[in-house]
Amino acid sequence: MTGISRRYFLAASAATGAYLVHPFKAEAAAGQIHLRLIETTDIHVAIDPYDYYGDKPDDTQGLARTATLIESLRDEAENTLLLDNGDLLQGNPLGDYIAHRKGVGDDVHPMIKAMNILGYDCATLGNHEFNYGLEFLQASLADAAFPFVCANVVVGPELGQIPTQDETLFPPYYVMDRGLVDGAGEVHEVKIGVIGFVPPQILQWDEANLKGRVSVRDIVAAARAWVPKLRQDEGCDLVIALAHTGIEGGGYTAGMENAALYVAEIEGIDVVLTGHQHRVLPGPDYEGIEGVDAQKGTLAGKPAVMAGFWGSHMGLIDLMLEKQGDKWQIVSHTSEARPIYKREDRKAVALVGSLPIILDAVEADHESTLAYIRAPVGKTSAPLYSYFAQVADDPSVQIVSQAQSWYARDMLKETAYKDLPILSAAAPFKCGGRGGPDYYTNVAKGPVAIKNVADLYLYPNTFRALKVTGATVADWLERSAGAFNQITAGAQDAALLNPDFPSYNFDVMDGVSYRIDLSKPSKFDSDGKQISEGGRIKDLMFNGKPIDPDQEFIVASNNYRAGGGGNFPGIEPSKIIFEGPDTNRDILLRFIQKEGTINPSADSNWGFAPMADTTVTFASGPAGRAFMEAVKGVQIAYAGEAEGGFALYRITL
């Protein structure tokens, strides 16, 4: 870039509260094209700025808000492409309402309706597109006025020898011939190829929907095969990868879930739009990874962007193109993830309003969803909250475990497994993190509605029961114990939680009791690889006695975990002895209806081993202060404010 620097451009934009015209537009001369790529990713049916779980407006989300940014950016540039990186159809009660109650039928899915209005140019599939089954997926996308691409999901139970001969579920790529305007106003034909990818783990995560029907290639292997076809056979000037896969360092391994960095390394790919991890690039989320420039927004030196989730950001890549020989090439670029809100005085403050045409288009489905989520299903005798679900036995996890155990007993009562003891593994889902300081379950004592059930169990996972040994139970818990940092005895206010460990991999096991010794190193790292001997789990008891490593147990869980999700040791499909036809969320709903009034009080079957003169701290929602004294088995105290609107809490071990 010449003239004004990118750093000055962004700093001036932030300082004035407005965004300046991009220098590329001002500087483009004859034979130079300013092309603007706009990305959305991981919208998860968040169209209105509304939290359906809390049943209240929410300024941190909503494609209707992102749409305002999109329209303003189009007004600033002659040449734009609007692209989506997947995870569109599932993620909130609106998605559930359409999939389970209304269907798509003669109407257009509200997500596709909004995207058609905005005039998307192309999109790819995310892993959550498969959650409701292939028929729903294909029916929903059939109404799109733009193409979907995915190069690594193949029709049939087995992969062929050559990727380029695959019959892919959706076209592997899309080629568009665009007349782009240069700085002198002259129109030039530029051929742009867009190719899409999804994590191969969908075969595990949605086995019930996909087994025998599709197979999935490794992302990088598929890219290496298809990109030369785009370049050589199709003659593309520019190739854009819509990579619904995150960013991970440490080297490429076949079948990896987060392969965007290694997609960028492939010759012939010019730009990588990424997502899946619900993070932001450019930004501090990816500092320190070799091959990633987290400030400039590049992967392997190529322009890249990741635009958060739920519409929290809009991804923006500006390219300056020049013709070199007979092809247009990138000579300069900038990347940005532009937010729809900011935090001010610990509150979310909207930076843009909603685009009315988007709200109007989905209003009927929004109102129907509100009626759906407000329907009562039972009562709770105690509040349900998840503010401390990562540090103590918790009522929001406890009630899920109770429902899973009830269902397992009922399903197995006439089988050969009826006499085996049943345990239940469940993890907290809403635990702040990137969702912010209000992203916690908080259901008051009294009536329980469908919105509360969806809040307790966010995902449409399906039930699985596994037969495992006591030794596997121990390792299962060791894997979960990686959620915590190692603590030195006598430390004061040491950071408790491992920031690289997602809460949905912190399984709590109901039916046994145990303690976690934080003075010991974790046996497994955050990716599930064994890194030490021994372990942290101590006093692991079943029926008041030390667990027998050889004893057999049934563990109630879900398809994600049973299929290998989270890389838990010894947990694989061969251990599955029962596949339930019901989602875990529906099981929870039926359990509440059966009980009438539930008692979700935690029983403190797990906790931390005592450490003399030692304290640790962790961040949670400020609203948790109302519940901290009621938490059993651990001493929690408020320790002040934390960054990003969170509160800091202290535990005396």
Side-chain angles (χ1 to χ4, degrees):
M1 183 188 294
T2 58
I4 187 171
S5 72
R6 178 180 184 276
R7 178 175 296 177
Y8 175 82
F9 166 65
L10 295 178
S13 300
T16 61
Y19 290 93
L20 306 178
V21 172
H22 196 282
F24 288 179
K25 177 176 173 62
E27 296 173 358
Q32 291 183 318
I33 294 172
H34 170 216
L35 175 60
R36 173 160 276 182
L37 306 180
I38 302 171
E39 181 212 38
T40 55
T41 189
D42 296 272
I43 298 294
H44 288 284
V45 218
I47 304 172
D48 279 73
Y50 200 86
D51 175 6
Y52 290 106
Y53 302 113
D55 200 1
K56 61 184 179 181
D58 183 356
D59 288 326
T60 71
Q61 62 176 287
L63 180 63
R65 296 281 174 89
T66 322
T68 300
L69 291 179
I70 291 169
E71 292 303 288
S72 67
L73 286 168
R74 282 172 162 161
D75 291 341
E76 295 173 7
E78 293 281 353
N79 311 296
T80 62
L81 293 177
L82 177 57
L83 306 162
D84 185 82
N85 202 48
D87 274 5
L88 298 165
L89 302 179
Q90 182 278 336
N92 68 19
L94 171 59
D96 289 341
Y97 168 73
I98 298 298
H100 296 313
R101 293 294 180 91
K102 181 182 178 182
V104 284
D106 296 329
D107 200 3
V108 180
H109 192 290
M111 193 72 231
I112 300 301
K113 193 180 298 182
M115 296 175 76
N116 284 344
I117 291 170
L118 288 171
Y120 276 76
D121 292 284
C122 193
T124 193
L125 307 176
N127 52 289
H128 285 286
E129 259 64 81
F130 299 91
N131 289 167
Y132 301 128
L134 290 179
E135 288 75 16
F136 180 82
L137 163 61
Q138 291 170 320
S140 298
L141 302 192
D143 293 309
F146 53 92
F148 278 83
V149 294
C150 187
N152 66 320
V153 179
V154 180
V155 175
E158 295 182 359
L159 295 171
Q161 294 296 315
I162 303 173
T164 52
Q165 294 181 357
D166 286 342
E167 179 190 352
T168 52
L169 186 67
F170 285 80
Y173 60 78
Y174 174 60
V175 177
M176 57 185 91
D177 290 297
R178 290 298 171 96
L180 304 183
V181 181
D182 72 7
E186 184 179 350
V187 177
H188 302 269
E189 290 298 319
V190 180
K191 185 168 282 193
I192 301 168
V194 183
I195 186 168
F197 308 99
V198 71
Q201 285 73 19
I202 61 171
L203 284 181
Q204 300 171 5
W205 301 335
D206 273 299
E207 181 186 19
N209 294 327
L210 302 180
K211 186 176 182 180
R213 304 186 67 183
V214 301
S215 47
V216 188
R217 287 195 182 274
D218 170 74
I219 290 173
V220 172
R224 286 172 177 162
W226 284 107
V227 169
K229 194 170 180 63
L230 279 166
R231 284 294 189 184
Q232 297 159 18
D233 296 355
E234 303 286 359
C236 290
D237 297 280
L238 184 71
V239 174
I240 302 166
L242 294 182
H244 191 85
T245 176
I247 302 167
E248 183 178 312
Y252 162 72
T253 56
M256 68 188 305
E257 178 183 346
N258 297 306
L261 177 58
Y262 309 106
V263 169
E265 291 178 349
I266 294 171
E267 184 178 356
I269 288 180
D270 298 296
V271 178
V272 179
L273 306 186
T274 183
H276 182 56
Q277 288 178 312
H278 291 202
R279 297 180 182 178
V280 177
L281 179 78
D285 289 346
Y286 292 104
E287 292 281 3
I289 299 177
E290 186 177 354
V292 179
D293 190 321
Q295 292 187 345
K296 292 182 178 179
T298 63
L299 299 177
K302 297 176 182 176
V305 72
M306 183 187 292
F309 58 102
W310 305 345
S312 65
H313 294 72
M314 182 213 61
L316 176 62
I317 295 178
D318 283 284
L319 305 175
M320 184 73 92
L321 305 179
E322 287 183 2
K323 200 162 191 178
Q324 298 181 358
D326 62 347
K327 294 293 180 185
W328 290 89
Q329 296 189 4
I330 300 170
V331 294
S332 191
H333 54 83
T334 64
S335 296
E336 179 187 350
R338 190 170 292 189
I340 65 169
Y341 74 99
K342 64 179 179 179
R343 292 225 170 255
E344 194 171 87
D345 295 328
R346 301 173 65 81
K347 294 182 179 180
V349 177
L351 295 173
V352 292
S354 295
L355 197 65
I357 193 173
I358 301 298
L359 296 181
D360 292 345
V362 302
E363 181 179 7
D365 287 321
H366 172 65
E367 292 298 326
S368 295
T369 300
L370 293 180
Y372 164 69
I373 65 170
R374 291 167 179 168
V377 294
K379 296 180 179 180
T380 176
S381 62
L384 291 154
Y385 52 85
S386 65
Y387 297 104
F388 306 111
Q390 291 178 285
V391 301
D393 199 21
D394 172 84
S396 72
V397 177
Q398 180 77 24
I399 196 63
V400 172
S401 280
Q402 289 176 2
Q404 289 180 170
S405 295
W406 162 75
Y407 184 79
R409 283 192 295 270
D410 190 48
M411 292 295 104
L412 300 178
K413 63 186 178 184
E414 302 296 336
T415 73
Y417 307 104
K418 62 182 179 180
D419 295 326
L420 290 180
I422 293 174
L423 312 179
S424 184
F429 294 133
K430 292 185 70 175
C431 287
R434 301 185 188 284
D438 298 321
Y439 190 60
Y440 294 88
T441 296
N442 187 351
V443 181
K445 175 182 176 181
V448 177
I450 289 175
K451 65 182 180 181
N452 306 132
V453 177
D455 195 28
L456 289 163
Y457 208 107
L458 298 181
Y459 306 106
N461 294 334
T462 51
F463 181 86
R464 297 290 185 274
L466 304 96
K467 186 176 76 168
V468 301
T469 64
T472 300
V473 170
D475 266 351
W476 194 320
L477 296 173
E478 290 288 0
R479 169 77 175 100
S480 292
F484 307 108
N485 295 323
Q486 186 175 3
I487 307 298
T488 302
Q492 298 299 301
D493 290 354
L496 174 61
L497 297 176
N498 176 356
D500 296 325
F501 197 102
S503 67
Y504 57 78
N505 279 338
F506 179 57
D507 277 359
V508 172
M509 193 79 73
D510 210 38
V512 293
S513 61
Y514 54 98
R515 295 291 176 263
I516 300 172
D517 187 348
L518 297 174
S519 71
K520 305 293 184 184
S522 177
K523 187 174 181 178
F524 301 95
D525 67 12
S526 57
D527 294 322
K529 299 175 183 176
Q530 185 168 344
I531 54 175
S532 72
E533 298 297 328
R536 294 174 157 180
I537 301 300
K538 59 185 300 184
D539 302 328
L540 177 56
M541 312 285 279
F542 173 69
N543 279 347
K545 299 178 181 178
I547 199 167
D548 181 350
D550 296 320
Q551 183 175 356
E552 292 183 331
F553 295 89
I554 300 298
V555 179
S557 185
N558 59 49
N559 62 301
Y560 174 75
R561 185 70 74 237
N567 298 318
F568 276 60
I571 307 306
E572 57 187 7
S574 66
K575 303 294 177 66
I576 298 171
I577 55 94
F578 176 76
E579 297 185 10
D582 301 295
T583 68
N584 297 64
R585 186 187 295 168
D586 287 337
I587 291 166
L588 178 57
L589 175 62
R590 285 162 52 186
F591 178 71
I592 295 172
Q593 290 174 324
K594 179 189 76 72
E595 294 290 306
T597 299
I598 57 171
N599 176 17
S601 300
D603 58 9
S604 302
N605 69 304
W606 74 274
F608 300 119
M611 294 178 65
D613 302 319
T614 306
T615 63
V616 293
T617 58
F618 64 96
S620 185
R625 294 181 67 180
F627 303 102
M628 62 185 186
E629 293 182 2
V631 180
K632 298 178 181 178
V634 64
Q635 181 182 340
I636 301 175
Y638 177 66
E641 295 182 353
E643 293 182 0
F646 286 88
L648 194 68
Y649 296 89
R650 177 181 295 112
I651 292 177
T652 300
L653 295 173

